[in-house]
Amino acid sequence: MAETYRLISSLTCPWVQRAAIVLRAKGIEYEVTHINLQDKPDWFLEISPHGKVPVLVVDERPLFESNAIAEFLDEVAEPRLHPSDPIKRARNRAWTDFIPTFSPALSGIYYTKTEEEMKEGLKAAPVTVAKLEKAIAEERGNDGPYFNGASFSMVDAAYAPFLQRFALVERTLQSGLLKDFPLFQAWSDALNASDVVTGSVVPTFEAEFIANLKRRGHYVATLFEE
Ligand SMILES: N[C@@H](CCC(=O)N[C@@H](CS)C(=O)NCC(=O)O)C(=O)O
Protein backbone atom coordinates (compact mmCIF):
# COMPACT_ATOMS: atom_id res chain seq x y z
CA MET A 1 0.00 0.00 0.00
CA ALA A 2 1.37 3.41 -0.96
CA GLU A 3 2.06 5.99 1.73
CA THR A 4 0.83 9.23 0.21
CA TYR A 5 -1.99 10.10 -2.13
CA ARG A 6 -2.41 13.60 -3.55
CA LEU A 7 -5.40 14.37 -5.76
CA ILE A 8 -4.88 17.18 -8.25
CA SER A 9 -8.28 18.73 -8.59
CA SER A 10 -10.45 21.54 -9.85
CA LEU A 11 -13.48 22.73 -7.88
CA THR A 12 -16.35 21.23 -9.87
CA CYS A 13 -14.92 18.48 -12.10
CA PRO A 14 -17.10 15.32 -11.99
CA TRP A 15 -14.16 13.11 -13.04
CA VAL A 16 -12.09 14.35 -10.12
CA GLN A 17 -15.06 13.65 -7.87
CA ARG A 18 -15.20 10.07 -9.11
CA ALA A 19 -11.61 9.54 -7.92
CA ALA A 20 -12.36 11.27 -4.61
CA ILE A 21 -15.40 9.03 -4.07
CA VAL A 22 -13.34 5.88 -4.57
CA LEU A 23 -10.66 7.18 -2.17
CA ARG A 24 -13.33 7.95 0.43
CA ALA A 25 -15.18 4.65 -0.07
CA LYS A 26 -11.92 2.89 0.76
CA GLY A 27 -11.06 5.13 3.70
CA ILE A 28 -7.77 6.22 2.08
CA GLU A 29 -6.41 9.49 3.42
CA TYR A 30 -5.46 11.93 0.69
CA GLU A 31 -4.45 15.52 0.19
CA VAL A 32 -6.09 17.72 -2.39
CA THR A 33 -4.27 20.30 -4.52
CA HIS A 34 -6.63 22.59 -6.44
CA ILE A 35 -5.41 24.09 -9.67
CA ASN A 36 -6.92 26.70 -11.95
CA LEU A 37 -7.70 25.03 -15.27
CA GLN A 38 -7.65 28.45 -16.94
CA ASP A 39 -4.05 28.91 -15.86
CA LYS A 40 -2.48 25.47 -15.52
CA PRO A 41 0.83 25.43 -13.66
CA ASP A 42 3.88 24.03 -15.48
CA TRP A 43 4.37 21.28 -12.87
CA PHE A 44 0.82 20.09 -13.63
CA LEU A 45 1.35 20.03 -17.40
CA GLU A 46 4.45 17.90 -16.82
CA ILE A 47 2.51 15.18 -14.99
CA SER A 48 -0.82 15.32 -16.88
CA PRO A 49 -0.32 14.18 -20.49
CA HIS A 50 -3.69 15.62 -21.63
CA GLY A 51 -3.60 18.63 -19.32
CA LYS A 52 -6.69 17.32 -17.51
CA VAL A 53 -7.65 16.69 -13.90
CA PRO A 54 -7.83 14.38 -12.07
CA VAL A 55 -4.25 13.34 -11.52
CA LEU A 56 -3.59 11.16 -8.50
CA VAL A 57 -0.02 11.37 -7.29
CA VAL A 58 0.76 8.11 -5.50
CA ASP A 59 4.06 8.32 -3.58
CA GLU A 60 5.22 10.92 -6.13
CA ARG A 61 4.12 8.79 -9.12
CA PRO A 62 1.34 10.45 -11.13
CA LEU A 63 -1.68 8.55 -12.44
CA PHE A 64 -4.15 10.14 -14.85
CA GLU A 65 -7.65 9.37 -16.24
CA SER A 66 -10.38 8.83 -13.65
CA ASN A 67 -11.20 5.30 -14.79
CA ALA A 68 -7.57 4.17 -14.58
CA ILE A 69 -7.25 5.84 -11.18
CA ALA A 70 -10.42 4.16 -9.88
CA GLU A 71 -9.31 0.74 -11.16
CA PHE A 72 -5.84 1.21 -9.60
CA LEU A 73 -7.36 2.10 -6.24
CA ASP A 74 -9.65 -0.91 -6.40
CA GLU A 75 -6.64 -3.17 -6.94
CA VAL A 76 -4.59 -1.81 -4.05
CA ALA A 77 -7.10 -1.10 -1.28
CA GLU A 78 -10.01 -2.82 0.43
CA PRO A 79 -12.96 -3.00 0.30
CA ARG A 80 -13.18 -4.13 -3.32
CA LEU A 81 -15.77 -2.02 -5.10
CA HIS A 82 -16.07 -4.42 -8.01
CA PRO A 83 -18.26 -7.51 -7.58
CA SER A 84 -16.26 -10.73 -7.08
CA ASP A 85 -18.22 -12.57 -9.79
CA PRO A 86 -16.39 -12.02 -13.15
CA ILE A 87 -19.65 -11.81 -15.12
CA LYS A 88 -21.07 -9.17 -12.79
CA ARG A 89 -17.72 -7.37 -12.82
CA ALA A 90 -17.68 -7.25 -16.63
CA ARG A 91 -21.24 -5.95 -16.70
CA ASN A 92 -20.39 -3.30 -14.12
CA ARG A 93 -17.41 -2.22 -16.24
CA ALA A 94 -19.69 -2.06 -19.29
CA TRP A 95 -21.98 0.32 -17.40
CA THR A 96 -19.10 2.54 -16.33
CA ASP A 97 -18.01 2.58 -20.00
CA PHE A 98 -21.47 3.99 -20.74
CA ILE A 99 -20.79 7.19 -18.75
CA PRO A 100 -19.46 9.20 -21.73
CA THR A 101 -22.85 8.59 -23.40
CA PHE A 102 -24.88 8.97 -20.24
CA SER A 103 -23.37 12.19 -18.89
CA PRO A 104 -24.15 14.31 -21.99
CA ALA A 105 -27.79 13.16 -21.73
CA LEU A 106 -28.02 14.97 -18.37
CA SER A 107 -25.62 17.82 -19.06
CA GLY A 108 -27.46 18.30 -22.39
CA ILE A 109 -30.24 19.66 -20.18
CA TYR A 110 -28.32 22.11 -18.01
CA TYR A 111 -25.37 22.98 -20.28
CA THR A 112 -27.60 24.74 -22.82
CA LYS A 113 -27.76 28.40 -23.75
CA THR A 114 -31.50 28.80 -24.34
CA GLU A 115 -34.76 27.50 -22.87
CA GLU A 116 -35.53 25.80 -26.21
CA GLU A 117 -32.22 23.92 -26.18
CA MET A 118 -32.82 22.96 -22.56
CA LYS A 119 -36.26 21.57 -23.50
CA GLU A 120 -34.71 19.63 -26.38
CA GLY A 121 -32.28 18.14 -23.85
CA LEU A 122 -35.18 17.17 -21.60
CA LYS A 123 -36.97 15.51 -24.50
CA ALA A 124 -33.91 13.47 -25.47
CA ALA A 125 -32.79 12.36 -21.98
CA PRO A 126 -35.44 9.67 -21.20
CA VAL A 127 -34.06 7.23 -23.80
CA THR A 128 -30.74 7.17 -21.95
CA VAL A 129 -32.21 7.18 -18.43
CA ALA A 130 -34.49 4.26 -19.43
CA LYS A 131 -31.40 2.14 -20.18
CA LEU A 132 -30.14 2.69 -16.65
CA GLU A 133 -33.58 2.00 -15.17
CA LYS A 134 -33.57 -1.39 -16.90
CA ALA A 135 -29.96 -2.08 -15.90
CA ILE A 136 -30.68 -1.34 -12.24
CA ALA A 137 -33.66 -3.73 -12.30
CA GLU A 138 -31.48 -6.45 -13.82
CA GLU A 139 -28.26 -5.94 -11.85
CA ARG A 140 -29.76 -5.78 -8.39
CA GLY A 141 -30.31 -8.83 -6.25
CA ASN A 142 -32.49 -6.85 -3.84
CA ASP A 143 -33.96 -3.42 -3.21
CA GLY A 144 -30.74 -1.52 -3.40
CA PRO A 145 -30.01 1.14 -2.55
CA TYR A 146 -26.94 1.01 -4.82
CA PHE A 147 -26.44 -0.17 -8.38
CA ASN A 148 -25.67 -3.76 -7.40
CA GLY A 149 -27.77 -3.78 -4.25
CA ALA A 150 -26.48 -3.32 -0.73
CA SER A 151 -22.79 -2.70 -1.55
CA PHE A 152 -21.45 0.55 -2.93
CA SER A 153 -19.67 -0.22 -6.21
CA MET A 154 -17.43 1.33 -8.86
CA VAL A 155 -20.59 2.02 -10.90
CA ASP A 156 -21.99 4.11 -8.06
CA ALA A 157 -18.72 6.05 -7.79
CA ALA A 158 -18.74 6.76 -11.53
CA TYR A 159 -22.38 7.90 -11.83
CA ALA A 160 -22.76 9.77 -8.53
CA PRO A 161 -21.10 13.03 -9.67
CA PHE A 162 -23.50 13.34 -12.60
CA LEU A 163 -26.55 12.39 -10.54
CA GLN A 164 -25.55 14.94 -7.91
CA ARG A 165 -25.30 17.74 -10.50
CA PHE A 166 -28.63 16.85 -12.07
CA ALA A 167 -30.35 16.65 -8.65
CA LEU A 168 -29.00 20.09 -7.81
CA VAL A 169 -30.41 21.56 -11.02
CA GLU A 170 -33.66 19.60 -10.74
CA ARG A 171 -34.39 21.03 -7.27
CA THR A 172 -34.97 24.35 -9.00
CA LEU A 173 -35.88 23.23 -12.52
CA GLN A 174 -38.59 20.78 -11.34
CA SER A 175 -38.74 19.13 -14.77
CA GLY A 176 -40.07 15.82 -13.42
CA LEU A 177 -37.71 13.96 -15.76
CA LEU A 178 -37.24 11.08 -13.33
CA LYS A 179 -40.89 10.51 -12.42
CA ASP A 180 -41.15 7.60 -14.86
CA PHE A 181 -37.93 6.05 -13.56
CA PRO A 182 -38.49 5.10 -9.92
CA LEU A 183 -35.46 2.84 -9.57
CA PHE A 184 -33.18 5.44 -11.08
CA GLN A 185 -34.71 8.14 -8.86
CA ALA A 186 -34.21 6.01 -5.74
CA TRP A 187 -30.62 5.23 -6.80
CA SER A 188 -29.93 8.93 -7.29
CA ASP A 189 -31.48 9.77 -3.90
CA ALA A 190 -29.37 7.11 -2.17
CA LEU A 191 -26.15 8.35 -3.73
CA ASN A 192 -26.96 11.97 -2.97
CA ALA A 193 -27.61 11.04 0.66
CA SER A 194 -24.33 9.14 1.02
CA ASP A 195 -21.50 10.75 3.04
CA VAL A 196 -19.00 9.23 0.66
CA VAL A 197 -20.55 11.29 -2.14
CA THR A 198 -21.49 14.50 -0.33
CA GLY A 199 -18.07 14.71 1.33
CA SER A 200 -16.20 14.22 -1.94
CA VAL A 201 -16.66 17.84 -3.06
CA VAL A 202 -15.65 21.15 -1.51
CA PRO A 203 -18.20 22.54 1.01
CA THR A 204 -18.96 25.40 -1.39
CA PHE A 205 -19.65 23.00 -4.27
CA GLU A 206 -23.27 24.07 -4.96
CA ALA A 207 -22.39 27.75 -5.12
CA GLU A 208 -19.35 26.99 -7.30
CA PHE A 209 -21.40 24.85 -9.67
CA ILE A 210 -24.12 27.49 -10.05
CA ALA A 211 -21.50 30.23 -10.49
CA ASN A 212 -19.95 28.10 -13.23
CA LEU A 213 -23.34 27.78 -14.99
CA LYS A 214 -23.69 31.57 -14.83
CA ARG A 215 -20.14 32.22 -16.06
CA ARG A 216 -20.76 30.01 -19.08
CA GLY A 217 -24.09 31.71 -19.81
CA HIS A 218 -26.26 28.59 -19.46
CA TYR A 219 -30.02 29.09 -19.42
CA VAL A 220 -30.72 27.21 -16.17
CA ALA A 221 -28.47 29.65 -14.30
CA THR A 222 -31.21 32.26 -14.73
CA LEU A 223 -33.56 30.05 -12.66
CA PHE A 224 -31.20 30.34 -9.69
CA GLU A 225 -31.30 34.15 -9.71
CA GLU A 226 -33.35 35.80 -6.97
N1 LIG B 1 -11.46 11.33 -19.42
C1 LIG B 1 -10.97 12.20 -18.36
C2 LIG B 1 -11.79 13.48 -18.37
C3 LIG B 1 -11.23 14.52 -17.39
C4 LIG B 1 -11.70 15.93 -17.74
O1 LIG B 1 -12.41 16.14 -18.74
N2 LIG B 1 -11.27 16.90 -16.94
C5 LIG B 1 -11.58 18.29 -17.24
C6 LIG B 1 -12.22 19.01 -16.06
S1 LIG B 1 -13.78 18.30 -15.64
C7 LIG B 1 -10.26 19.02 -17.50
O2 LIG B 1 -9.29 18.81 -16.83
N3 LIG B 1 -10.28 19.92 -18.47
C8 LIG B 1 -9.17 20.78 -18.74
C9 LIG B 1 -8.85 20.87 -20.19
O3 LIG B 1 -9.37 20.06 -20.99
O4 LIG B 1 -8.07 21.75 -20.55
C10 LIG B 1 -11.06 11.46 -17.03
O5 LIG B 1 -11.96 10.62 -16.89
O6 LIG B 1 -10.23 11.71 -16.14
Side-chain angles (χ1 to χ4, degrees):
M1 180 80 177
E3 286 183 3
T4 62
Y5 293 86
R6 190 158 59 96
L7 185 61
I8 316 300
S9 174
S10 70
L11 289 179
T12 58
C13 177
W15 308 103
V16 170
Q17 193 184 352
R18 175 189 193 177
I21 290 170
V22 175
L23 285 160
R24 287 173 60 80
K26 289 174 175 288
I28 299 173
E29 284 194 19
Y30 62 100
E31 285 174 27
V32 179
T33 301
H34 289 291
I35 61 156
N36 178 357
L37 290 175
Q38 266 62 59
D39 184 16
K40 298 171 188 167
D42 290 342
W43 62 262
F44 170 70
L45 292 171
E46 268 167 40
I47 61 173
S48 179
H50 310 309
K52 289 181 193 284
V53 288
V55 169
L56 182 69
V57 184
V58 181
D59 286 346
E60 305 309 320
R61 288 168 302 172
L63 299 177
F64 60 102
E65 284 294 325
S66 62
N67 191 46
I69 292 169
E71 291 285 341
F72 164 79
L73 291 170
D74 205 42
E75 283 175 21
V76 299
E78 297 288 332
R80 288 303 301 269
L81 300 182
H82 268 313
S84 54
D85 173 54
I87 294 283
K88 283 195 177 148
R89 194 155 64 239
R91 291 165 70 125
N92 269 22
R93 287 192 168 119
W95 283 112
T96 57
D97 286 353
F98 185 59
I99 299 256
T101 305
F102 169 80
S103 65
L106 292 190
S107 62
I109 297 166
Y110 50 83
Y111 286 165
T112 47
K113 301 285 183 209
T114 64
E115 186 175 5
E116 289 67 38
E117 283 170 18
M118 190 269 293
K119 285 186 174 159
E120 286 302 312
L122 272 174
K123 233 190 275 170
V127 175
T128 304
V129 178
K131 292 190 185 187
L132 264 303
E133 180 79 5
K134 188 163 180 282
I136 296 166
E138 288 169 1
E139 298 306 324
R140 270 190 193 163
N142 56 37
D143 288 341
Y146 301 120
F147 187 76
N148 292 133
S151 335
F152 190 89
S153 75
M154 297 282 267
V155 182
D156 299 297
Y159 279 83
F162 301 99
L163 301 186
Q164 186 183 25
R165 283 154 183 74
F166 179 71
L168 199 173
V169 170
E170 180 64 358
R171 278 211 311 266
T172 297
L173 182 61
Q174 300 279 316
S175 73
L177 169 70
L178 301 187
K179 68 178 179 331
D180 297 328
F181 306 108
L183 294 175
F184 186 96
Q185 175 75 70
W187 182 39
S188 173
D189 291 347
L191 290 176
N192 283 314
S194 147
D195 289 349
V196 165
V197 174
T198 55
S200 63
V201 285
V202 287
T204 54
F205 172 74
E206 293 201 5
E208 297 287 350
F209 182 74
I210 293 164
N212 204 21
L213 291 174
K214 283 189 186 155
R215 234 181 346 257
R216 294 188 186 182
H218 291 311
Y219 166 75
V220 291
T222 63
L223 306 177
F224 288 92
E225 280 158 12
E226 288 112 302

